[in-house]
Amino acid sequence: MSIFTPTNQIRLTNVAVVRMKRAGKRFEIACYKNKVVGWRSGQVAKKEDLISAFGTDDQTEICKQILTKGEVQQMFRDIATIVADKCVTPETKRPYTVILIERAMKDIHYSVKTNRSTKQQALEVIKQLKEKMKIERAHMRLRFILPMNEGKKLKEKLKPLIKVIESKDYGQQLEIVCLIDLGCFREIDELIKKETKGKGSLEVLNLKDLEEGDEKFE
């Protein structure tokens, strides 16, 4: 049995793994090394504090309550990071810092849902934050050059992923310049490659709202 860190999460290098082998099988617990030392030296919460907070001093039951109802800190930060990467302030077009987004998520009392992906929850957070603060999605400007035969059919599949079509040119090939949400780029790129069998091309013209080197808004 081994501990797996998803590729979209930050690896916690200061986390230790405590291992024990029993009945021919290996069991592991991930935790902070200083907490292991503290536990073994008897530095634990007082019995009266546990009873006051949880209504019991049964440590197994308390662990279950924390695991079931506690805030998942890593997912919380991952969601805030996605929001910060995708959004800007409407007036200055500058990106928000992760710290400010985390603070805003706490202000709206956002609770992490462990059964949903961080991307799904980031989109939900953006909707909720729009009701409380000035925030909008950053846009990317793209140019598609598509073979005419495949282009007309592909254009209909691309429509839901395009925010604004700025220009269309029907020549020997179909050329489209448009704005998209940053999060749609990969899906559009894969769709064009698949539907045109590599004959179509996709060019990033610029990030309309977020230019390289912009100062972050805090």
Side-chain angles (χ1 to χ4, degrees):
M1 180 180 179
S2 61
I3 291 179
F4 171 72
T5 302
T7 56
N8 66 336
Q9 292 190 6
I10 300 170
R11 186 176 294 275
L12 302 177
T13 54
N14 57 340
V15 170
V17 178
V18 183
R19 298 185 176 94
M20 176 176 284
K21 194 170 184 179
R22 287 287 178 89
K25 294 184 178 181
R26 189 176 69 179
F27 300 89
E28 299 179 348
I29 297 176
C31 51
Y32 291 106
K33 185 177 179 180
N34 64 324
K35 297 300 180 182
V36 178
V37 175
W39 171 267
R40 291 179 176 178
S41 62
Q43 297 174 16
V44 296
K46 296 178 181 178
K47 180 177 179 179
E48 54 268 30
D49 291 340
L50 295 176
I51 294 174
S52 175
F54 297 96
T56 179
D57 63 347
D58 184 322
Q59 294 178 6
T60 300
E61 178 58 32
I62 291 171
C63 286
K64 288 180 180 178
Q65 286 190 41
I66 293 173
L67 287 171
T68 302
K69 302 176 182 178
E71 187 177 271
V72 186
Q73 289 295 328
Q74 185 58 46
M75 282 191 74
F76 191 88
R77 186 167 185 83
D78 286 346
I79 293 167
T81 300
I82 294 172
V83 174
D85 286 343
K86 290 181 179 295
C87 296
V88 294
T89 59
E91 294 91 349
T92 64
K93 306 302 182 186
R94 291 175 177 171
Y96 282 101
T97 62
V98 175
I99 292 174
L100 190 144
I101 296 297
E102 284 185 309
R103 193 184 308 148
M105 287 169 64
K106 290 175 182 177
D107 288 343
I108 63 173
H109 307 291
Y110 187 79
S111 178
V112 170
K113 302 171 183 63
T114 54
N115 61 337
R116 298 185 63 196
S117 72
T118 52
K119 184 177 180 181
Q120 288 176 322
Q121 294 186 75
L123 296 176
E124 182 181 327
V125 167
I126 292 171
K127 289 180 182 177
Q128 293 187 27
L129 290 181
K130 282 183 175 180
E131 298 176 2
K132 301 292 183 180
M133 61 188 288
K134 294 179 179 179
I135 186 171
E136 67 180 17
R137 297 283 293 269
H139 296 146
M140 178 184 284
R141 180 179 281 113
L142 302 178
R143 176 188 288 122
F144 312 140
I145 299 178
L146 311 171
M148 188 57 70
N149 290 338
E150 294 92 342
K152 290 181 179 179
K153 183 173 67 174
L154 181 55
K155 183 165 68 75
E156 295 304 312
K157 294 184 178 181
L158 289 171
K159 267 186 179 180
L161 303 172
I162 295 174
K163 199 77 175 176
V164 177
I165 293 179
E166 294 187 329
S167 68
K168 288 185 288 186
D169 183 13
Y170 293 91
Q172 292 183 341
Q173 295 177 308
L174 173 59
E175 181 178 323
I176 299 175
V177 175
C178 63
L179 300 178
I180 67 163
D181 286 334
L182 292 176
C184 294
F185 176 79
R186 181 177 295 179
E187 187 176 352
I188 289 173
D189 186 37
E190 291 175 352
L191 186 60
I192 290 175
K193 287 178 180 177
K194 178 182 176 182
E195 296 293 328
T196 67
K197 296 180 173 58
K199 296 178 182 177
S201 66
L202 170 61
E203 179 185 358
V204 178
L205 299 180
N206 70 294
L207 293 179
K208 183 176 185 294
D209 297 332
L210 174 56
E211 298 293 348
E212 186 177 354
D214 268 353
E215 181 183 347
K216 289 183 179 291
F217 186 83
E218 301 189 48

